[in-house]
């Protein structure tokens, strides 16, 4: 399990990031000020950092600069400051990527995966394949292949992401709104109806009887739950 440190003084944003990352299988710590954030960042216990720029006690630029003196782990800036000069400064100080708020959690997740894979290639570290298995449903998170009773089944990128989300969080009830925020992004201009549409497509591929699902259960008036 990869360890991620979020240095962000906005608690709501930090918790949104943490929730989404934890649901995708990461261990996450949150720090709300720059001084404490730097101390934890250079401890050597994290695989990637997500850093805001406008922080109390010590700003994000200084954190990036000090971390780069000791570590080469990936650093992603997530900031409301969208001016080119801030992006250039952050990247020049050693950040690997720069995202502006408001942001899509799905895009943040994709960038984290990309930077971790690139870092592993450069350092010779290889992430072992992880297989999630639930009663004949097998998901290989390294190859993104899905098998149902030993037979490979094809999924679109979003169907796979949604299925992995459910399989990684069994027995937890999620509302349609929460699923949409986490997988499509709180700032996405989409229709909530896309959630049940995607779930129905997944059911047709993994359930023996899609009309009476065993894996992804509908809790009427509340949301959905994955039964392992």
């Amino acid at each position: 399990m990869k360890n991620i440190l979020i240095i962000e003084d906005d608690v709501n944003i930090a918790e949104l990031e943490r929730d989404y990352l934890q649901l995708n299988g990461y261990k996450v710590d949150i720090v709300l000020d720059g001084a404490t954030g730097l101390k934890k960042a250079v401890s050597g216990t994290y695989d990637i950092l997500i850093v805001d720029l406008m922080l109390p006690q010590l700003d994000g630029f200084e954190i990036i600069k000090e971390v780069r003196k000791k570590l080469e782990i990936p650093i992603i800036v997530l900031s409301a400051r969208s001016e080119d000069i801030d992006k250039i400064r952050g990247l020049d100080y050693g950040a690997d990527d720069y995202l502006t708020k408001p942001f899509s959690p799905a895009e943040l997740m994709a960038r984290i995966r990309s930077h971790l894979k690139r870092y592993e290639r450069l350092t010779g570290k290889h992430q072992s394949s992880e297989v999630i298995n639930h009663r004949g449903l097998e998901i290989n998170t390294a190859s993104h292949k899905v098998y149902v009773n030993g037979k490979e089944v094809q999924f679109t990128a979003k169907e796979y992401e949604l299925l992995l989300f459910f399989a990684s969080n069994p027995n937890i009830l999620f509302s349609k709104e929460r699923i949409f925020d986490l997988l499509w992004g709180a700032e996405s201009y989409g229709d909530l109806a896309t959630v049940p549409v995607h779930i129905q497509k997944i059911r047709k591929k993994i359930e023996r009887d899609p009309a009476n699902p065993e894996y992804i259960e509908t809790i009427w008036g509340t949301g959905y739950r994955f039964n392992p």
Side-chain angles (χ1 to χ4, degrees):
M1 182 180 291
K2 298 296 185 181
N3 295 324
I4 299 177
L5 177 63
I6 296 172
I7 309 176
E8 166 66 66
D9 64 334
D10 187 316
V11 176
N12 291 330
I13 292 177
E15 290 181 346
L16 173 63
E17 295 174 45
R18 180 198 61 196
D19 291 349
Y20 190 79
L21 294 172
Q22 287 180 337
L23 290 172
N24 280 273
Y26 294 95
K27 182 179 178 181
V28 183
D29 289 333
I30 293 174
V31 176
L32 302 176
D33 69 85
T36 306
L38 175 59
K39 183 177 179 179
K40 291 181 73 69
V42 298
S43 66
T45 59
Y46 297 98
D47 299 289
I48 191 167
L49 307 178
I50 302 174
V51 183
D52 189 14
L53 293 181
M54 296 179 287
L55 295 164
Q57 300 184 28
L58 189 70
D59 68 33
F61 293 119
E62 290 301 314
I63 292 174
I64 296 167
K65 186 165 62 175
E66 292 302 315
V67 169
R68 276 293 170 255
K69 292 178 181 179
K70 299 182 178 181
L71 300 171
E72 291 298 327
I73 59 173
I75 300 174
I76 298 177
V77 173
L78 186 58
S79 174
R81 297 171 68 162
S82 59
E83 293 82 3
D84 285 345
I85 190 169
D86 292 317
K87 296 178 183 179
I88 293 170
R89 187 181 174 194
L91 296 171
D92 282 346
Y93 276 12
D96 297 279
D97 209 341
Y98 196 112
L99 279 173
T100 57
K101 302 172 186 176
F103 66 98
S104 161
E107 181 182 2
L108 175 62
M109 187 72 255
R111 297 202 187 196
I112 287 172
R113 288 196 187 105
S114 176
H115 286 294
L116 285 173
K117 288 179 181 178
R118 184 177 297 113
Y119 180 68
E120 287 166 358
R121 287 197 301 268
L122 291 173
T123 59
K125 298 178 181 178
H126 298 285
Q127 188 175 14
S128 60
S129 173
E130 180 184 354
V131 176
I132 298 174
N133 218 317
H134 294 295
R135 294 183 292 116
L137 174 64
E138 180 180 306
I139 305 172
N140 188 307
T141 61
S143 64
H144 285 208
K145 290 185 177 181
V146 179
Y147 301 87
V148 178
N149 296 322
K151 182 179 179 181
E152 184 177 355
V153 179
Q154 301 296 321
F155 291 83
T156 66
K158 186 56 71 174
E159 288 170 358
Y160 173 83
E161 184 181 3
L162 181 55
L163 176 60
L164 179 61
F165 168 79
F166 275 119
S168 300
N169 299 279
N171 298 315
I172 300 176
L173 181 62
F174 292 98
S175 68
K176 180 169 59 177
E177 292 78 10
R178 185 62 172 157
I179 294 170
F180 185 83
D181 286 349
L182 289 172
L183 273 73
W184 277 265
E187 301 299 326
S188 296
Y189 296 98
D191 189 339
L192 286 175
T194 193
V195 175
V197 169
H198 278 77
I199 288 174
Q200 185 59 30
K201 289 179 179 179
I202 292 171
R203 284 172 172 164
K204 289 179 179 178
K205 297 179 179 182
I206 67 172
E207 302 281 1
R208 288 182 296 181
D209 180 5
N212 297 285
E214 299 176 16
Y215 289 110
I216 304 176
E217 179 185 6
T218 299
I219 309 299
W220 294 106
T222 308
Y224 301 93
R225 179 176 60 207
F226 185 88
N227 298 314

